[in-house]
Amino acid sequence: MLDAGIRRQWPAGSLLLREGELSDHVVVIEAGRVKVSSSASSGKQVLLAVRGPGDLLGEFSAIDGRARSATVTALSPVTAIVVPGKVFRALLINDGKATFSLLRMVVSRLREADLQRLDYGAYTVSERLARLLLDYAGRYGQTDDDRVVITLPLSQTELAHATGASREAVAKALKRLRELGAVKTARRRVELLQPDLLAELAEGLPSVHLDADGDGLPR
């Protein structure tokens, strides 16, 4: 499949796939990271996932022929292989092992989506943000002395899209986390200074650091 594709490069901020467009090629990332996002009719944006090297994108439209369900944007310079839809479909028809691998990937992403929906319904904005930062630290974090640096260049707006909250609510939650000493932030940079404390807040556990008004925000 890769031999039948074309290697392309995209600078940070460019679109690899656009929500609503009619195309059926798939993209296999070789280097760099992208964000997958979708928008509601109200205009509200949701960050669905972050993908990186080895990830496959665009498989839904390649299989069912429908319009793209999400937009894929480069977070950093990206190198990827673009494979025509007909080549991808032929592979799935002729190679059962490849088809099963794709099925496992789809199931994994469905589980991920289920957990995301649970977070939206069961946790406060502050708790969702803490859970998201811990998840990103586990996937994309680099240990630097006694802290973990998240290497994704995400803005507060993008963090808000990922948590299903307003930018103002996320900014408030980040401010409280900084005051508590749990995180340190800079432009498109988040450092986890106390992951254990963040994990406590992520589960909504009682803490002496939380205000008694029950808003779930650390003081």
Side-chain angles (χ1 to χ4, degrees), residues 3-67:
D3 290 341
I6 299 174
R7 180 174 286 103
R8 289 191 54 189
Q9 295 181 328
W10 292 263
S14 57
L15 298 183
L16 282 72
L17 301 172
R18 186 187 299 273
E19 183 177 7
E21 73 178 7
L22 291 173
S23 59
D24 67 350
H25 61 274
V26 298
V27 178
V28 183
I29 300 177
E30 288 190 317
R33 300 196 190 280
V34 302
K35 65 176 182 178
V36 183
S37 60
S38 185
S39 58
S41 56
S42 63
K44 182 178 180 180
Q45 297 286 318
V46 177
L47 198 160
L48 303 174
V50 175
R51 305 295 182 204
D55 278 325
L56 175 69
L57 305 169
E59 69 280 1
F60 282 9
S61 292
I63 293 172
D64 65 15
R66 299 174 62 181

Side-chain angles (χ1 to χ4, degrees), residues 36-160:
V36 183
S37 60
S38 185
S39 58
S41 56
S42 63
K44 182 178 180 180
Q45 297 286 318
V46 177
L47 198 160
L48 303 174
V50 175
R51 305 295 182 204
D55 278 325
L56 175 69
L57 305 169
E59 69 280 1
F60 282 9
S61 292
I63 293 172
D64 65 15
R66 299 174 62 181
R68 300 293 187 188
S69 59
T71 294
V72 177
T73 308
L75 289 171
S76 63
V78 170
T79 300
I81 303 295
V82 178
V83 182
K86 63 180 181 180
V87 174
F88 179 69
R89 289 188 292 273
L91 175 68
L92 298 184
I93 291 171
N94 297 317
D95 189 332
K97 185 177 180 180
T99 302
F100 184 70
S101 294
L102 176 67
L103 180 61
R104 291 187 63 179
M105 183 197 72
V106 171
V107 169
S108 175
R109 291 183 178 179
L110 287 174
R111 290 183 184 275
E112 183 180 335
D114 286 343
L115 289 175
Q116 190 177 54
R117 284 193 292 270
L118 175 64
D119 282 357
Y120 289 167
Y123 295 95
T124 66
V125 171
S126 187
E127 291 163 356
R128 295 202 301 270
L129 178 62
R131 292 169 67 85
L132 181 72
L133 293 178
L134 288 169
D135 178 50
Y136 284 174
R139 298 188 190 202
Y140 317 112
Q142 293 182 348
T143 302
D144 182 11
D145 294 330
D146 58 348
R147 66 191 64 193
V148 180
V149 179
I150 298 175
T151 58
L152 294 177
L154 295 175
S155 66
Q156 286 190 8
T157 298
E158 289 166 327
L159 290 175

